Each structure stands twice: as C-alpha cells, then as structure tokens.
C-alpha cells in the first residue's frame, strides 16, 4: 500500500537503526520528547525503542487531547448532559474519561442522553432531527480538530439551527510545548514534532524552540520509518552543531500550514486568557473558546455551569507522564488498579494515551521492554504487519 509499505521496510529500518547508533557520541545520553500520542503508539506497537541504542531515551509529551482535559471540565459537561432537554454528543474516546462525578458512560447509564459521534457534523445531523432538544457537541482536540468544529458552527449558522451548541475544549500545542521547556523537571535535547497538528498550523510556529531554547525539532509522520528518520535527523543536527526545525512529514505537512483551516478557526474562535491542563496546571493563552460573534453556539454561555476545579486522584500520576517526567510503568497504579477496563487517569483511556500504549503493547518495565518485547520493524514479519 502506497505511503505505508515503503515506510515499514525492514531493510531501510535496519539501516536507519545503524545510522542512529553511529551518530551517538560515546558516554552521551540523548532525551527526545515525542509530543504526539500517535507517535507514542507507533513507537511501542512496532517496538522501535527496543531497536534504538541505550543512549537514546524517548519520553512522552502532552500531545494527547483527551489526556490533558481536567476533571472539572468533564464534570461541567456531565452537568449539561443531565438536563432532560439536552442531547450530549462526544467522540468515543471521551466516553470513559473519568471526572470527579464519574464518566460520560456513567452518566448515560444513569439516564443522560449522551451519544457517540465520529464528527461534529454528526452532532449537527442529530440537531436537525431533534428540533425540540438542545444538542451539545463536546469539542476536544488540538488544532487538528478545531477547524472541523469551526466549520460545523458556520454550517449551523447558515442553516439557522438554534438548538445546536459547542462545549469548546480545544487546546493549542505551542503554549504546552513552551510550558514543558520552561519546566525545571525535565532536560530535553530535542523534539519529535506532532504530524497531525502541524498539517494545520504548519512548521513556522515551532521556530522559537530552536531560536530561543536551542532545541531542534523534527515534524514527523506516524509510520515506523518516519519515527526512526526523525530520531536520526535530530542526532544529525546535534552532531553537526545545528539547531533547526525540519519537516520530515512533508508529504502531508505544508510549511505554512492550512490557511483555510486557520481562517475558519480565526473566524469562529478566540483565545482564552488561560486554561487548565491536566498535569501542567493553568497555561496562559493555551486554549480556544467560541467568539462573541457566535456566542449563541457557545454552550458555556447557553448553560449555567458549576465551573468547579477538581483535583486528580492522589494515586494518579498522569501529570508526570504527560510532562515526560515518568514512564507509565513507573506509576504506582499502572497495570494494577489502573487498567483500560478500570482507568483512574485519562492516559489509560485515550487511544493516544501513553499508559494505554504501554499497557496494550506489554511494556510493563524497562527490562521487559529490552528483553521480551514483540518483534519490531526490523523483522520482515513486522514490516508486513
């Protein structure tokens, strides 16, 4: 399959692994953060970390949109959903995210009308079919999904659908990366930049990372060879004394971004003064809200919300995992009290969550990863998977 097979070629993967090892300076350790949860799943699904030299350490970042939603926002959404005149709609990976008062699935079991959708346009379809009900779309995601929310609001306005609104929880990747860079908890040598977000915002917004912080960043795709190539490019920059933003994912990501998508976001949405992120706390200008012009489609203005901040369970260490301070298997409840069936934190729920990736692909300890991991992309079997 084009754009898949050539990025899972076993021979090329072995060659890249050898080049990566040759680029490592003896006695030097390199720590790179893969910002996107999709990259984390590629790394552990294909066993990439097992084929990197011990000098290269990959840590996880805050690029999982479900994982960074604070519990209080989940409770606000459930508060809306419990109204008898409301139909709440949501992407599937939000259904099991725990809030302080339970999850969407818990509220649905208790009688709330909460429906899973694959697109905000599905929510709009439900609004058309139920003119006597108020339909709310639980909007989550980075700049990747924000344009589809914005376009849906524009469609609702064009159709005159007054029973549709959006509970907007869209967040922005650049302020989160800056918060990581400003954190004293973690020393990084570079970043594997998110591919999906960059398809919308482009590569230019990352230039401050190289210019102001002296850290290289390589925007990468999601196949095994994409990740290995990104690691090799980062090591090459460091070896040559360079510090730049590179676009490894040029087959999808335009350097200037998607101007039409950015225009729709700018028309419908505005920056929030601040927003709470799970694990990172409040970050200024890091999230989007519905603009005043489209206030009638803003669920935060249509409904009265409790707006109560809810602390994470004391046993949950999702915050440290999202900042790359801990590996999931270092959390004291990982794989015991916290599993995909009984999640305590969001990182075990989402399809992009680091804890879910580790659990699903059998990464329960560093030693196990090095000795008993499943075949990686350097085998012919995995290259055909």
């Amino acid at each position: 399959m084009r754009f898949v097979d050539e990025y899972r070629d076993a021979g090329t993967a072995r060659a890249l692994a050898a080049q990566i090892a040759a680029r490592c300076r003896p006695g030097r350790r390199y720590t790179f953060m893969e910002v996107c949860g999709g990259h984390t799943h590629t790394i552990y699904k294909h066993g990439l970390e097992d084929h990197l030299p011990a000098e290269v350490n990959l840590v996880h970042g805050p690029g999982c949109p479900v994982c960074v939603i604070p519990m209080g926002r989940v409770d606000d959404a459930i508060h809306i959903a419990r109204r008898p005149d409301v139909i709440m709609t949501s992407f599937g990976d939000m259904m099991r995210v725990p809030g302080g008062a339970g999850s969407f699935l818990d509220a649905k079991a208790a009688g709330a009308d909460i429906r899973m959708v694959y697109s905000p346009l599905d929510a709009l379809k439900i609004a058309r079919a139920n003119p006597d009900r108020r339909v709310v779309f639980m909007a989550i995601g980075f700049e990747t999904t924000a344009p589809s929310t914005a376009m849906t609001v524009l469609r609702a306005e064009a159709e005159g659908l007054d029973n549709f609104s959006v509970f907007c929880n869209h967040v922005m990747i650049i302020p989160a990366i800056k918060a990581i860079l400003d954190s004293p908890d973690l020393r990084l040598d570079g970043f594997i930049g998110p591919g999906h977000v960059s398809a919308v915002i482009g590569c230019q917004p990352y230039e401050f990372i190289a210019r102001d912080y002296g850290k290289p960043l390589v925007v990468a795709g999601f196949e095994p060879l994409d990740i290995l190539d990104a690691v090799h490019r980062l090591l090459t920059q460091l070896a040559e004394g360079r510090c730049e933003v590179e676009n490894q994912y040029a087959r999808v990501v335009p350097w200037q971004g998607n101007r039409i998508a950015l225009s729709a976001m700018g028309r419908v949405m505005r920056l929030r003064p601040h927003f709470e992120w799970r694990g990172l706390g409040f970050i200024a200008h890091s999230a989007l809200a519905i603009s005043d012009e489209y206030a009638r489609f803003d669920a935060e203005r249509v409904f009265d919300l409790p707006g109560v901040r809810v602390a994470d369970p004391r046993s949950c260490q999702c915050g440290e995992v999202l900042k790359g301070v801990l590996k999931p298997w270092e959390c004291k409840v990982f794989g015991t009290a916290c599993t995909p069936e009984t999640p305590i934190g969001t990182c075990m729920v989402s399809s992009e969550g680091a804890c879910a990736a580790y659990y699903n692909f059998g990464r329960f300890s560093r030693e196990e990863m090095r000795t008993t991991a499943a075949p990686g992309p350097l085998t012919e079997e995995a290259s055909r998977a």
Side-chain angles (χ1 to χ4, degrees), residues 363-382:
R363 271 47 175 178
F364 293 102
S365 70
R366 179 71 175 182
E367 291 71 24
E368 186 168 349
M369 288 165 59
R370 289 292 179 187
T371 59
T372 63
L378 308 193
T379 66
E380 297 295 339
E381 291 80 3

Side-chain angles (χ1 to χ4, degrees), residues 194-248:
H196 294 147
V197 167
S198 302
V200 174
I201 69 172
C203 297
Q204 272 191 324
Y206 303 115
E207 291 179 345
F208 81 98
I209 299 171
R211 182 186 65 246
D212 300 339
Y213 291 90
K215 309 293 183 186
L217 182 145
V218 177
V219 173
F222 295 89
E223 293 298 328
L225 293 186
D226 290 323
I227 304 295
L228 291 174
D229 187 23
V231 172
H232 181 254
R233 290 181 185 223
L234 289 169
L235 288 168
T236 299
Q237 284 200 44
L238 293 173
E240 296 176 353
R242 295 186 291 116
C243 184
E244 302 170 1
V245 176
E246 289 189 46
N247 185 10
Q248 186 276 339

Side-chain angles (χ1 to χ4, degrees), residues 49 54 57 65 72 122 137 148 159 180 211 277 329-330 353 365:
E49 196 173 60
N57 179 38
D122 292 340
F137 175 63
S148 63
E159 295 183 12
I180 293 290
R211 182 186 65 246
W277 292 55
W329 49 263
E330 295 176 301
S365 70

